[in-house]
Amino acid sequence: MIKELLHDLLHLVYPHLCVGCQEEPVDNDELFCVRCESKLPLTDFHQFGDNEALRRISNHQLFKSGTSMFRFYPGGIVQKMIHEIKYKAQTNIALRLGKRYGILLSNAMAFKEIDCVIPVPLHPIKQRQRGFNQSKFFAEGLATSMQKHLYLNMVRRVMHTDTQTGKNRYERLKSIMYAFEKGSAAAHLQNKHVLLVDDVLTTGATLESCATALSSIRGIKLSFATIALAQ
Ligand SMILES: [Zn+2]
């Protein structure tokens, strides 16, 4: 009772603000105000075997299915949201988005047979700098509402691809292609359908590279989900 009162009082003094406009106060269990919610650039990719997210990957044969929750427009709500997650450590937003999207994926034909969820890892140096992997929180939300295992050590990022200045496009592409290695426990993924999870899908090179590192595991099937697809 007292705890609830305190919570309500705190909420009056420091209301939760909408993640989209950062102006409207919203309930504790909501991310968006009514206006932002109605303008969210949600996709329906998860309902279609062939979609824009999957076609973004140059070797899309690597994946059974692929989807992005939102479209990402420069200056739009989703960009603001990703900024909050990555640079203001609002990992809870990623977690809650994952939980919300996981409900949709559980009911989508293409994602019904997923066995486990794996976030695309950051390089250890990047992970140390930022302190967290934003994709892990989205993956955790998905795994929770899809009721699947979340695995964190099945694939490793072995190349620090941020020090790319001075490299041309071909060199950058080549270095991302070899950026991942299977983890020592990756044999657990035999005959499993794995959902790889990343934050923003741009060229698709990162997902493709991560999937390539896992694709030699016997009987593995791979699909992917990202928070957003860059437009
Ligand atoms: Zn709003």
Side-chain angles (χ1 to χ4, degrees), residues 134-153:
Q134 64 280 5
S135 303
K136 184 221 133 189
F137 289 90
F138 185 58
E140 192 180 325
L142 288 171
T144 303
S145 55
M146 294 173 84
Q147 295 179 290
K148 306 296 173 193
H149 280 291
L150 176 75
Y151 290 128
L152 299 178
N153 300 311

Side-chain angles (χ1 to χ4, degrees), residues 71-124:
R71 291 176 186 277
F72 178 111
Y73 297 102
I77 291 178
V78 177
Q79 184 179 30
K80 276 189 216 155
M81 199 164 68
I82 301 273
H83 187 92
E84 289 288 309
I85 297 170
K86 272 172 90 165
Y87 304 109
K88 295 190 183 166
Q90 297 291 315
T91 50
N92 194 39
I93 299 174
L95 183 76
R96 287 164 70 175
L97 290 175
K99 283 185 183 167
R100 175 172 167 172
Y101 201 41
I103 295 168
L104 295 182
L105 295 192
S106 302
N107 291 308
M109 277 308 286
F111 297 90
K112 270 205 157 94
E113 283 163 13
I114 294 288
D115 295 303
C116 58
V117 181
I118 297 182
V120 171
L122 297 176
H123 188 275

Side-chain angles (χ1 to χ4, degrees), residues 3 52 225-226:
K3 213 173 150 190
E52 263 178 79
T226 71

Side-chain angles (χ1 to χ4, degrees), residues 189-205:
L189 301 176
Q190 275 184 17
N191 303 314
K192 295 277 196 294
H193 189 170
V194 175
L195 185 67
L196 278 183
V197 175
D198 207 358
D199 54 355
V200 182
L201 169 54
T202 309
T203 64

